[in-house]
Amino acid sequence: MEENTKKRRRRSTDERLADLERKQAETKAKLEAQLRALEEQKKRLVSTPATKKASQERQKRFDRAVKAIAPDWDERHLIAAIARAVDMDAEMLLAEGEVLLEQHGQPRRGRRPRQG
């Protein structure tokens, strides 16, 4: 009986390159799919009612603080102030902003008028 032994064939450089490119494309496709799934999860988390409520409360605090600190300023003034503050130390601005929000961002005490 004759034995059919398969000889090992060495792949050419072009074949190996094509194989590597195929594997790279598959890996990229998998990663992109995972990123899309993570973005969907992130969107769902951001759109929960609790998150929306917390975001609205932060916005209200910000609006109250701005009106208390600079009542006659509008959006143009704020943008100019932000542009000047970009060059400053971020950590120092963050700490100062926290203090100002605590001082001026709280709602007024007392009975609130009815909404309706």
Side-chain angles (χ1 to χ4, degrees):
M1 277 199 186
E2 290 180 32
E3 282 188 30
N4 287 340
T5 58
K6 209 172 192 185
K7 289 190 176 180
R8 193 168 178 189
R9 186 179 77 82
R10 187 164 226 166
R11 296 185 306 163
S12 70
T13 308
D14 293 335
E15 290 172 333
R16 289 186 297 188
L17 278 174
D19 193 34
L20 286 175
E21 288 173 356
R22 182 186 52 80
K23 284 182 183 179
Q24 183 180 17
E26 288 174 0
T27 305
K28 280 184 180 180
K30 286 180 186 177
L31 286 175
E32 287 172 0
Q34 289 175 346
L35 281 174
R36 281 193 300 273
L38 287 175
E39 288 295 324
E40 276 297 316
Q41 287 179 345
K42 185 178 176 182
K43 284 180 185 177
R44 274 188 265 126
L45 282 175
V46 169
S47 66
T48 60
T51 308
K52 285 181 183 178
K53 185 176 180 179
S55 176
Q56 287 175 346
E57 184 58 36
R58 281 194 311 270
Q59 185 63 40
K60 286 179 185 177
R61 286 185 69 198
F62 174 75
D63 292 340
R64 284 191 296 262
V66 168
K67 285 183 182 183
I69 294 171
D72 56 333
W73 278 22
D74 64 2
E75 293 82 13
R76 294 169 294 182
H77 294 99
L78 291 175
I79 294 297
I82 291 169
R84 288 184 184 170
V86 167
D87 296 333
M88 299 174 76
D89 182 29
E91 293 298 320
M92 181 187 71
L93 287 172
L94 182 66
E96 189 176 332
E98 286 292 330
V99 171
L100 289 171
L101 266 179
E102 284 300 316
Q103 290 175 355
H104 302 289
Q106 299 299 325
R108 291 193 336 232
R109 297 183 62 101
R111 186 171 176 171
R112 294 184 181 171
R114 281 192 174 181
Q115 300 290 330

